[in-house]
């Protein structure tokens, strides 16, 4: 028995967020501000992190029924 299958189409190029792991952490984990985050970027690069997701950057609003 001889079976032939059509060739697969080439895969599309990957977007930047698909090339490495994303690390999600609130700024509080790095000292509470963006300067603290900047001080830890070298360490994160050593972990081969592809991107850093920060949030929330602004303090939460008080609980208000209209928000």
């Amino acid at each position: 028995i001889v079976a032939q299958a059509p060739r697969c189409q080439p895969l599309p190029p990957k977007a930047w967020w698909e090339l490495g792991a994303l690390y999600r952490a609130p700024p509080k984990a790095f000292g509470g501000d963006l300067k603290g985050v900047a001080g830890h970027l070298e360490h994160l690069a050593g972990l081969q992190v592809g991107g850093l997701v920060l949030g929330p950057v602004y303090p939460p609003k008080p609980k208000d029924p209209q928000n």
Side-chain angles (χ1 to χ4, degrees):
I1 297 174
V2 177
Q4 289 185 331
R7 293 183 180 249
C8 296
Q9 296 292 327
L11 294 174
K14 291 187 176 186
W16 66 267
W17 62 85
E18 297 173 313
L19 297 175
L22 295 177
Y23 187 85
R24 184 184 184 282
K28 287 183 181 180
F30 296 106
D33 59 2
L34 294 178
K35 290 181 183 179
V37 173
H40 287 85
L41 289 178
E42 187 174 326
H43 174 71
L44 293 173
L47 297 174
Q48 297 180 348
V49 171
L52 182 63
V53 179
L54 295 175
V57 176
Y58 297 104
K61 294 182 179 182
K63 293 185 179 183
D64 184 5
Q66 295 181 0
N67 286 342

